[in-house]
Amino acid sequence: MKLIVRWALLAVALLAVAQVYAGVTLTGFSSALLAAGMLGLLNTLVRPLLVLLTLPVTLLTLGLFLFVINALMFWSAAGLLGGFNVTGFPAALIGSLLYSACGMVIDAVVERIFARESA
């Protein structure tokens, strides 16, 4: 249940990013659900490999290159899905920053809600 709630809230967060920032567009809630799922898949399967391969650059930039990797994941998800569009890499960077900030808040809220239910 926790996973489904988190997925739905991340889809809402993606819709909010599309409303706040013009560089990111979504056609509807179903596209947001698909995009949130695709972002989760890419972040689970591809991102660790990219982090490992770019470790020297990440160390040289003191971790700032991880923002580039997040933007690439965001941009890749938009490229793979039809209802989710990002106008370019700068838009992907800003969109991924906004989405990550929303994701951190969502994770904290979901953890707090489900911690109360289990207690």
Side-chain angles (χ1 to χ4, degrees):
M1 185 66 174
K2 180 177 169 182
L3 181 67
I4 294 170
V5 169
R6 185 175 181 275
W7 180 33
L9 288 174
L10 286 172
V12 171
L14 200 52
L15 281 171
V17 169
Q19 289 295 319
V20 170
Y21 184 60
V24 177
T25 56
L26 282 160
T27 58
F29 187 68
S30 60
S31 295
L33 280 172
L34 285 172
M38 180 62 71
L39 281 166
L41 257 157
L42 287 173
N43 283 330
T44 302
L45 301 175
V46 178
R47 188 175 186 273
L49 181 63
L50 283 178
V51 169
L52 185 63
L53 290 174
T54 61
L55 190 59
V57 176
T58 303
L59 291 174
L60 281 174
T61 61
L62 303 174
L64 292 176
F65 195 73
L66 292 174
F67 290 120
V68 173
I69 292 173
N70 285 342
L72 287 173
M73 295 297 98
F74 201 76
W75 201 14
S76 297
L80 292 171
L81 298 172
F84 176 39
N85 296 312
V86 177
T87 57
F89 185 78
L93 183 61
I94 294 168
S96 69
L97 288 172
L98 293 171
Y99 183 68
S100 294
C102 292
M104 287 190 300
V105 171
I106 288 168
D107 286 342
V109 169
V110 167
E111 285 299 322
R112 187 166 287 197
I113 289 171
F114 282 93
R116 284 186 196 160
E117 287 183 3
S118 65

